[in-house]
Amino acid sequence: MERPLPILRAGPAREVSCDPTTLRRRARSSGADRLVRVGPNAFVEGTRWDSAGPRQRYVTRVYARLGRIGTAAVASHASAAAVLGLPALGGWEVPVHATVPETMYRGRTRDLVLHTRPVRADERLPARGVRVTTVPRTVVDIAMRDDLRSAVVVADGALRAGTGAAELAAAVDRRARGHRRAEHVLGLADGRAGSTAESFARVVFLELGLPRPVLQQEFVVDGRRFSVDFWFPDQGVVVEIDGRAKYTQERYLAGRSPTEVFLDEKRRHERLLTVPGVRTIIQLEWRDLFDPDALVRRFRAAGLPCPVRPARSARPGAA
């Protein structure tokens, strides 16, 4: 589970001679002792905040809020996904989500969204002083509420991390509003998707009317195995999702220069094109998935049947 940053509150802070007035003053400061306000009566040291990533910052806001709401609240939806390490399509600039008893419901604000669908004891987990919904419950909550792209990304991530499809299916409450949407998402979910971009791409392909591709198809060339992101066997088309991270982040570079990575990728594609049945390879970047018009042109030029241009397409704002 993702750890929050250490949170300072007025009560515990008094033990180290730091009263509420001092905390607020430090939050207005730009000096070395500056604090960042992460919730009501909740602050984080500025240096820690600056070095944290988007997910950890958001998780810190979740803990700050749940500590304020009370023990009856359970982090859920996007907030549970962040704590549990599940992916997100739209990033972490979202309100905190919590599920509470109906007696505690007071509507939503810009920073806090409350839900009231009851959470059973077996649907929640302890997490460093707060409680979060389990992975299956979290996936189903998001599937019943969010758009298809975001929901498939989370469901794929859960399967990829080891949650079973049967566990996800068992978490669907057929009495709940939105259960049919959840079942649709789980029907599309596939743990073979190797990344958030691949999960998102699958939904874009579905929206554009493409045939359902084979995921992580392996080809053997000269005794070496090569796995591709998407394989359309009837058309002989390979589609791969490559981001700039492959050429900039050390975990992908593995000691190679960006030029060496580029050349290795070029040689890999040359080998794949020697496989009988592989006619062409389409390389996509993350940004390409937000331009359905250009995708349709490229897919049709490669021989992929792309019969529709959906009215509801993958635009940046929709994610």
Side-chain angles (χ1 to χ4, degrees), residues 39 260 296:
E260 289 172 325
V296 167

Side-chain angles (χ1 to χ4, degrees), residues 141-185:
D141 277 345
I142 291 173
M144 290 196 300
R145 180 183 184 275
D146 291 2
D147 65 86
L148 185 64
R149 295 180 294 276
S150 299
V152 169
V153 163
V154 175
D156 281 2
L159 293 173
R160 190 164 56 244
T163 301
E167 293 179 78
L168 298 183
V172 178
D173 183 354
R174 292 181 174 273
R175 298 166 299 177
R177 184 174 62 180
H179 75 272
R180 293 189 184 278
R181 292 180 60 187
E183 290 170 345
H184 179 52
V185 169

Side-chain angles (χ1 to χ4, degrees), residues 149-221:
R149 295 180 294 276
S150 299
V152 169
V153 163
V154 175
D156 281 2
L159 293 173
R160 190 164 56 244
T163 301
E167 293 179 78
L168 298 183
V172 178
D173 183 354
R174 292 181 174 273
R175 298 166 299 177
R177 184 174 62 180
H179 75 272
R180 293 189 184 278
R181 292 180 60 187
E183 290 170 345
H184 179 52
V185 169
L186 298 186
L188 294 173
D190 195 321
R192 292 173 297 174
S195 66
T196 296
E198 290 178 33
S199 298
F200 180 29
R202 286 190 14 257
V203 182
V204 174
F205 297 166
L206 177 67
E207 291 178 350
L208 296 178
L210 266 64
R212 198 159 184 169
V214 178
L215 275 62
Q216 307 303 324
Q217 174 68 45
E218 284 193 346
F219 297 100
V220 179
V221 183

Side-chain angles (χ1 to χ4, degrees), residues 244-263:
R244 296 185 183 183
K246 180 178 287 188
Y247 305 98
T248 58
Q249 295 184 9
E250 182 55 39
R251 59 176 173 156
Y252 297 109
L253 293 173
R256 299 171 295 171
S257 69
T259 300
E260 289 172 325
V261 174
F262 174 79
L263 292 175

Side-chain angles (χ1 to χ4, degrees), residues 89-162:
L89 178 59
W92 302 111
E93 293 297 323
V94 294
V96 171
H97 288 259
T99 297
V100 298
E102 288 190 6
T103 54
M104 292 180 59
Y105 184 77
R106 60 176 185 271
R108 64 172 293 166
T109 67
R110 183 173 60 87
D111 300 319
L112 178 65
V113 179
L114 297 180
H115 308 267
T116 58
R117 190 163 77 90
V119 182
R120 301 193 311 267
D122 62 342
E123 292 179 325
R124 55 179 181 258
L125 297 168
R128 301 183 183 280
V130 302
R131 296 183 299 173
V132 300
T133 50
T134 60
V135 170
R137 170 63 190 256
T138 301
V139 170
V140 170
D141 277 345
I142 291 173
M144 290 196 300
R145 180 183 184 275
D146 291 2
D147 65 86
L148 185 64
R149 295 180 294 276
S150 299
V152 169
V153 163
V154 175
D156 281 2
L159 293 173
R160 190 164 56 244

